[in-house]
Amino acid sequence: MERLPKRQRHQQLSRLVEENPFMTDRELTRLLKVSIQTIRLDRMELGIPELRERLKLMAERSYDAVRSLPLHEVIGDIVDLQLDKSGISLFEIREEHVFSRTGIARGHHVFAQANSLAVAVINDEIALTAAADIRFVRQVKLGEKCIAKAYVRSGGRSKAKVEVFTYVGEEMVFQGHFIIYRSAGEQVIEGGDERADRN
Amino acid sequence: MERLPKRQRHQQLSRLVEENPFMTDRELTRLLKVSIQTIRLDRMELGIPELRERLKLMAERSYDAVRSLPLHEVIGDIVDLQLDKSGISLFEIREEHVFSRTGIARGHHVFAQANSLAVAVINDEIALTAAADIRFVRQVKLGEKCIAKAYVRSGGRSKAKVEVFTYVGEEMVFQGHFIIYRSAGEQVIEGGDERADRN
DNA sequence: TACTGGATTAGTACCAGGTGATAGTAGCAG
DNA sequence: CTGCTACTATCACCTGGTACTAATCCAGTA
């Protein structure tokens, strides 16, 4: 008896289901050339739920994702905000923010937190990022909690300078100088990001 | 006979299913106090598919989203790449990238495209953004296609300077100067974003 | 009054895509 | 020969439906 085929089949089965979670057991029998019972035993051993459960799980995950999307409007949770003065936001680096191979956060997420905060701290209907000068001081890794602090340095009528420093614990990981256009300055010609609601 | 209840029931049914797509017909009978046949006739009339079809649809949508996530590793499609010299990427502004109220792209998406490209153009195992100086020249709106062009300006052993210009048609919408750390320079101490695979 | 017709309910047959249990077969090892 | 693992087969049953037929209620109307 070939001992290998079983493990190989298990690997293949896992791979197939991962690649295409919409496959029924019957379709798998055709691909793996074993009986439907074997497929089911294999799924048991591997802890792979039945088609409907898989679809339900996916649906639930995407449903949760959709429901938590409002958080996406402002990246990070704003915990303190003194309009036109300063603000603080928290942002935890999760799976979806890191480069999977190394667990290092992708730069634009760190930037996004700072950018969102810089825009939020400006007391205007519409605020847009015009320019930024940023520095990634050190890597941020999976699971680390980023604390961004923003300070409004000068507030002209049409533009404001905002400095943002992001820390993990005591350590500074990012710093940025943002120039934010505000709607008070009549037409807004330039921009990248808008004001988000404060709630 | 109460004519209203039917229309009311249809409205309620639509609302209930929209709010919680995971409800079975049986659960709906309890809430709407009608027989299961009525629920099914109502679903027919309203064109609401059965539970499993709803879940399958949701799963498919989220699966498509997940499958386009590898694109998430590099934001934008890289259409041309000359390592250590230049690169071009395309990125279309879609619903999920804009501020819903105004249809203006959120800055960090435009930044992310440029950042991804700046990192991709560097010919190294690991490349991380160390610093950036960026300017949002004008707003980018829903549906616009951003063409980012990156040029490597100077390539020291441990860092490289990359300039990125993003256009919509002929018009420049973004420009950025990036300093990218490369792994050749021994330990990588700083960083924001990693190299993504080129495929 | 009886008749018509929409809304509702009831019941049946059938389906996909399974679970769970039980039994049987093939092939080799001790 | 016995025991073990791997695999297959079969059957009953489950959920959440579809598709169809038939009965019932109840109102308006000829």
Side-chain angles (χ1 to χ4, degrees), chain A residues 61-171:
Chain A
R61 273 210 306 272
S62 79
Y63 192 59
D64 290 348
V66 167
R67 302 192 69 175
S68 66
L69 244 172
L71 278 177
H72 200 73
E73 297 264 305
V74 183
I75 307 289
D77 299 322
I78 292 174
V79 294
D80 182 65
L81 198 67
Q82 293 182 277
L83 292 175
D84 281 332
K85 285 185 186 162
S86 67
I88 296 174
S89 88
L90 304 181
F91 180 56
E92 184 177 345
I93 302 298
R94 291 209 300 262
E95 286 287 353
E96 62 265 38
H97 307 122
V98 303
F99 197 83
S100 47
R101 198 158 46 79
T102 56
I104 296 172
R106 281 174 275 158
H108 60 264
H109 286 114
V110 176
F111 171 78
Q113 179 193 14
N115 187 45
S116 288
L117 181 60
V119 160
V121 80
I122 296 303
N123 185 16
D124 253 283
E125 274 302 296
I126 295 176
L128 299 159
T129 309
D133 186 359
I134 60 179
R135 217 153 299 276
F136 295 93
V137 181
R138 82 144 168 88
Q139 297 164 4
V140 184
K141 299 210 170 181
L142 182 59
E144 291 189 321
K145 289 170 189 63
C146 295
I147 304 157
K149 300 186 179 182
Y151 306 96
V152 180
R153 289 308 186 197
S154 71
R157 206 154 276 154
S158 66
K159 33 173 126 170
K161 286 186 187 168
V162 182
E163 282 193 335
V164 181
F165 303 95
T166 304
Y167 302 86
V168 171
E170 299 291 288
E171 223 176 334

Side-chain angles (χ1 to χ4, degrees), chain B residues 6-21 23 28 32 42-43 45-48 54:
Chain B
K6 183 167 185 181
R7 306 213 167 157
Q8 279 186 2
R9 195 182 58 234
H10 277 196
Q11 286 193 330
Q12 284 190 32
L13 191 138
S14 302
R15 193 177 49 77
L16 283 168
V17 173
E18 185 136 5
E19 271 177 19
N20 181 5
M23 257 199 278
L28 288 165
L32 297 179
D42 286 356
R43 271 201 300 101
E45 290 183 55
L46 295 168
I48 298 172
R54 295 197 298 269

Side-chain angles (χ1 to χ4, degrees), chain A residues 14-32:
Chain A
S14 302
R15 192 176 50 78
L16 283 168
V17 173
E18 186 138 2
E19 270 176 20
N20 181 5
F22 298 86
M23 258 200 277
T24 63
D25 287 358
R26 203 169 304 279
E27 289 174 311
L28 289 165
T29 61
R30 289 212 329 277
L31 295 172
L32 298 179

Side-chain angles (χ1 to χ4, degrees), chain B residues 143-186:
Chain B
E144 291 188 321
K145 289 171 189 61
C146 295
I147 303 157
K149 300 185 179 182
Y151 306 95
V152 179
R153 290 308 186 197
S154 72
R157 204 155 279 153
S158 67
K159 33 173 127 170
K161 285 186 188 171
V162 182
E163 282 194 334
V164 181
F165 303 94
T166 305
Y167 301 86
V168 170
E170 298 292 287
E171 225 176 332
M172 187 191 292
V173 296
F174 171 93
Q175 83 184 84
H177 299 257
F178 292 82
I179 295 176
I180 308 289
Y181 268 95
R182 55 194 341 173
S183 57
E186 301 300 298

